[in-house]
Amino acid sequence: MTKSNQVLIFDTTLRDGEQSPGATMTHDEKLEIAELLDDMGVDIIEAGFPIASEGDFNAVSEIAKRAKTATICGLARANYKDIDRCWEAVKHAKSPRIHTFIGTSPLHRAIPNLDMDQMAERIHDTVTHARNLCDNVQWSPMDATRTEWDYLCRTVEIAIKAGATTINIPDTVGYTAPVESADLIRRLIDTVPGADNVIFATHCHNDLGMATANSLAAVAGGARQIECTINGLGERAGNTALEEVVMALKVRHDIMPYTTRIDTRKIMNISRRVATVSGFAVQFNKAIVGKNAFAHESGIHQDGMLKNRETFEVMKPEDVGLSGTSLPLGKHSGRAALRAKLGEMGFDLADNQLNDVFVRFKDLADRKKEVFDDDLMALVYQNDSGDDRLKLKSLRVVCGTTGPQTADMVMEVDGADVETSATGDGPVDATFNAVKAIFPHGARLQLYQVSAVTEGTDAQATVSVRMEEEGRIATGQSADTDTVVASAKAYINALNRLLVRREQSEPGYDVKGVSYKDI
Ligand code: KIV
Ligand code: ZN
């Protein structure tokens, strides 16, 4: 199976990525991200962990029903209940996959308290059970890179004999290094009977910053599936970033002659969307998708770029979906110009959606001279909905050099206007205190993050606010040229989302909360 030069891209943004504390996505957001992944050519989408919660089960089932081309995979621990539940969710897909795993390293074996022989039997039984339900079964020895070599070979052989079609070798704690990563896959393929009949996958975490290098090295060693997430989202330092491995394989095809099915021009859009819905902003200097990845500030660099762009660029911005010649819109631009511009950016909006964006665009253009692509993206993705219980009607903040600052606010709560005045240590604190006075709640602020969408003092600020209430987490976002207004709207947006979650009583899940004792 390593003969082919095609590398399958397995995206786990919706499972391993969403597992990252605070990155919880709503049902609709998961469907939207899955559709974008499918459209960009991802081969396998790991859509969730169906046993973990009702919400996860529903999202995986719905994604399975809607998937066009991608294989839809769900995660299951090594027990029949998990595997059955996983199958119930993925079976709707044209191409379903069950992914079952167990921790095989000494530290992980201690969790379910199984000795080596008992675990070997468990692997045989659960992979056989999964394979009786589904033709496409992936098996992972969690913490493979810290598992004894002989035991790793033994368990991989059992899984292959029991019918696994993909063997994933996770570097669960981001411990391996490129030479070792290539060597491990190569030796497994050379040693384990039946290895030639399955696909080997690599699943790297980024604790030492080597996830991309380790994944590419694993491919050199014979792996033909890379597991990754958009923006490298994931627990701790995250997973391998999809955009990095895909662009590395494309740009350095001369020394890594492998192909993927990914339409790289869709990278930027999905990266921004994942950053928005997860509330995990992309660092400015992040490879491929960072704001500065294609920015050339210094005189020497700009001079070189004008003469020949290859002086300082190894890939074209267009290749990752950044439009090279972005002409801004202004307050005289009409609906047709807006539609054309959004079309160029890859948005195909229905008439009513375009009308909503047009109203927001006019409002912004009145306050901001030039409206750039990034501004428009922020407008398209403004996520307050007509059904929201809480809405900001007006806000006036008085700031003095000595403080305290005062916020006068009118908010609509379930259709009725409520007015208050509150003070605080700074304009944002005063504003949040006003929201709390109007709508008292026990939710705790976990994260408050501001970033400028474009340059200039009239730039829009995007604000992310993450709130937690009894284990439920919600992230709210908003953009405005006024940072305090954007903060108020993002805070209210997060509260609205928490209210929806409270009503649906759909707690976000944490895989650590799902006990291995159930195995
Ligand atoms: O990192 C890991 O080991 C995992 C497994 C569940 C594959 O995410
Ligand atoms: Zn992982």
Side-chain angles (χ1 to χ4, degrees), residues 77-80 83 98 100-102 119-132 137 139 162 519:
R77 289 164 302 178
N79 69 65
Y80 292 175
I83 293 170
I98 296 174
T100 180
F101 74 99
I102 195 161
M119 184 169 282
E121 196 181 327
R122 177 63 63 97
I123 294 164
H124 170 268
D125 292 351
T126 49
V127 175
T128 306
H129 183 70
R131 189 55 210 267
N132 285 338
V137 172
W139 181 72
I519 286 175

Side-chain angles (χ1 to χ4, degrees), residues 327-338 358 361-362 365 369 371:
L327 291 178
L329 298 181
K331 67 175 177 187
H332 299 298
S333 308
R335 203 178 295 260
L338 179 67
F358 189 65
F361 160 70
K362 279 290 175 193
K369 223 168 107 219
V371 178

Side-chain angles (χ1 to χ4, degrees), residues 230-294:
I230 301 292
N231 299 339
L233 196 66
E235 284 204 77
R236 308 186 310 278
N239 290 63
T240 301
L242 178 147
E243 62 278 7
E244 292 179 13
V245 282
V246 167
M247 289 312 291
L249 290 178
K250 186 177 164 109
V251 173
R252 296 310 312 274
H253 192 73
D254 54 334
I255 54 162
M256 294 182 282
Y258 312 101
T259 52
T260 72
R261 283 200 321 111
I262 300 297
D263 178 351
T264 61
R265 292 163 310 167
K266 306 219 159 139
I267 284 178
M268 214 58 215
N269 184 29
I270 192 164
S271 159
R272 285 170 168 151
R273 200 58 199 127
V274 167
T276 304
V277 301
S278 66
F280 278 62
V282 174
Q283 80 196 46
F284 280 15
N285 58 343
K286 161 88 180 63
I288 319 292
V289 292
K291 204 171 157 55
N292 289 355
F294 292 93

Side-chain angles (χ1 to χ4, degrees), residues 15-16 203 205 239:
R15 200 279 298 168
D16 218 335
H203 177 111
H205 282 264
N239 290 63

Side-chain angles (χ1 to χ4, degrees), residues 166 178 180-181 203 215 226 233 236 241 267 293 350 375 396 428 442 445 450 452 471 483 487 497 513 519:
T166 299
E180 193 180 64
S181 177
H203 177 111
S215 302
I226 298 180
L233 196 66
R236 308 186 310 278
I267 284 178
D375 289 316
R396 185 172 159 271
V428 175
L445 183 70
V450 184
T483 309
S487 304
R497 288 165 158 238
I519 286 175

Side-chain angles (χ1 to χ4, degrees), residues 432 463-465 475-478 485-495:
F432 287 8
V463 177
S464 292
V465 167
T475 304
Q477 257 102 25
S478 195
V485 172
S487 304
K489 286 185 180 166
Y491 188 79
I492 293 169
N493 185 234
L495 277 180

Side-chain angles (χ1 to χ4, degrees), residues 12 15-16 19 46 75 99 101 138 140-143 168 170-173 203 205 227 239:
T12 183
R15 200 279 298 168
D16 218 335
Q19 223 165 280
E46 187 163 51
L75 186 68
H99 176 192
F101 74 99
Q138 170 166 328
S140 296
M142 186 160 75
D143 206 14
N168 176 37
D171 182 30
T172 305
V173 289
H203 177 111
H205 282 264
E227 307 208 352
N239 290 63

